[in-house]
């Protein structure tokens, strides 16, 4: 569960950080300001890769939490089943 939360928070944080940088890079007219063409291409490429990594972290975090909840439910069902079997043995 802890790993799922860590990956989920890291993915959301990475997306927030990338979008915040992109927002503050914009001029009042809405155009993004870069010092050169090369830096524009490089930064946009890194941001795209970063967003894909963030999406992967979010999906992995959600899947980890889902698997944890499924395992917890199965364990509880097994305990209930075992308790009911024990109660039947006591009465017989």
């Amino acid at each position: 569960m802890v790993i799922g939360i860590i990956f989920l928070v890291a993915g959301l944080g990475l997306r927030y950080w990338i979008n915040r940088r992109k927002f503050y890079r914009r001029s009042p007219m809405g155009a993004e300001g870069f010092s050169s063409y090369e830096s524009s291409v490089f930064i946009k490429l890194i941001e795209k890769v970063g967003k894909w990594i963030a999406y992967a972290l979010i999906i992995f975090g959600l899947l980890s939490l889902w698997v944890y909840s499924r395992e917890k439910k199965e364990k509880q069902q097994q305990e209930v089943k075992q308790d009911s079997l024990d109660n039947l043995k006591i009465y017989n």
Side-chain angles (χ1 to χ4, degrees):
M1 181 168 120
V2 174
I3 291 175
I5 293 171
I6 289 171
F7 278 101
L8 186 62
V9 169
L12 291 173
L14 184 59
R15 276 208 51 210
Y16 173 78
W17 181 68
I18 290 170
N19 288 335
R20 182 180 164 91
R21 283 178 45 93
K22 191 172 185 176
F23 175 80
Y24 283 112
R25 196 171 46 239
R26 292 191 188 277
S27 69
M29 300 298 278
E32 292 187 40
F34 293 100
S35 60
S36 67
Y37 174 76
E38 291 80 15
S39 68
S40 167
V41 171
F42 180 72
I43 289 172
K44 286 184 179 184
L45 176 69
I46 295 298
E47 285 179 347
K48 282 185 182 183
V49 170
K51 276 194 175 185
W52 281 107
I53 291 170
Y55 291 138
L57 289 172
I58 291 168
I59 290 169
F60 183 76
L62 290 174
L63 286 174
S64 296
L65 291 173
W66 180 72
V67 167
Y68 173 77
S69 68
R70 298 269 307 188
E71 288 177 354
K72 189 174 179 182
K73 283 181 186 179
E74 287 178 12
K75 186 176 180 182
Q76 287 175 348
Q77 288 175 350
Q78 288 175 354
E79 288 175 358
V80 169
K81 190 182 255 187
Q82 185 63 34
D83 288 342
S84 63
L85 288 175
D86 291 342
N87 288 339
L88 284 175
K89 288 179 184 177
I90 291 172
Y91 292 122
N92 288 333

